Amino acid sequence: MDNELKNFRLNIKQLAAMTDLHRQTIASRLSNIPVAPGSNPKLKLYSVLDILVALLTRTADPAQIKVDEMLPPDRKAWFQSERERLKFEQKTSQLIPASDVTREFSSMAKAENQSSSIPGRSRIYSLSVKSQQVFRQLVKRG
């Protein structure tokens, strides 16, 4: 049975009938998939194996998404989905507001400065110069 599925080929009309999607939708989603051997310009056949590999390895990596090249409705849908994702992450505490982070770092830096046992010097100086600058900025804001 495995060999049967590897060699099984379908055309766009058959895929549309099985999935209840429009033929143009199927054709656009299969645009990056090579046609199977035995196809011709009028009848494009696609290997089930190639379709499955393409669908299962496809990722929506944000770095690969080119928002500027999208059509306006697609761009609107993408930004709306990003807003909804951020709302969900904030609701589930996966995303913390910047003001909360600043407040926490500020309180940590103040506590660190106050707990130093050496007068006039703090343990903050054991950090890198960049980290010291970040801590000082956070203390000033807090």
Side-chain angles (χ1 to χ4, degrees):
M1 179 161 170
D2 292 337
N3 288 334
E4 291 175 15
L5 289 176
K6 286 182 182 179
N7 297 326
F8 201 67
R9 297 175 300 174
L10 298 170
N11 64 24
I12 293 174
K13 185 177 178 182
Q14 291 169 329
L15 287 167
M18 283 193 291
T19 59
D20 290 330
L21 294 173
H22 196 273
R23 290 188 317 256
Q24 290 176 337
T25 305
I26 299 289
S28 67
R29 292 187 184 169
L30 296 178
S31 62
N32 295 332
I33 298 175
V35 292
S39 298
N40 60 46
K42 291 187 177 187
L43 180 65
K44 295 181 180 178
L45 297 172
Y46 296 92
S47 169
V48 172
L49 183 63
D50 290 341
I51 294 169
L52 288 173
V53 167
L55 292 176
L56 295 175
T57 59
R58 183 181 299 167
T59 60
D61 183 17
Q64 293 179 350
I65 296 174
K66 297 177 182 171
V67 180
D68 296 335
E69 295 178 7
M70 291 181 179
L71 296 173
D74 296 336
R75 189 178 310 139
K76 179 185 175 194
W78 187 81
F79 278 112
Q80 184 175 2
S81 71
E82 285 297 301
R83 282 193 304 271
E84 293 299 319
R85 181 183 61 81
L86 292 173
K87 285 180 189 176
F88 174 76
E89 286 179 0
Q90 191 172 12
K91 184 187 275 187
T92 59
S93 300
Q94 294 176 356
L95 184 66
I96 303 169
S99 60
D100 292 351
V101 173
T102 304
R103 189 179 327 108
E104 288 298 319
F105 272 108
S106 176
S107 64
M108 287 173 27
K110 286 178 184 176
E112 178 67 25
N113 281 337
Q114 291 173 357
S115 68
S116 176
S117 61
I118 304 171
R121 270 188 81 109
S122 150
R123 284 187 229 162
I124 196 171
Y125 289 104
S126 65
L127 299 173
S128 68
V129 175
K130 181 83 173 168
S131 298
Q132 291 175 25
Q133 292 171 350
V134 171
F135 272 118
R136 285 191 184 107
Q137 289 174 353
L138 291 173
V139 170
K140 287 178 185 176
R141 287 184 195 169

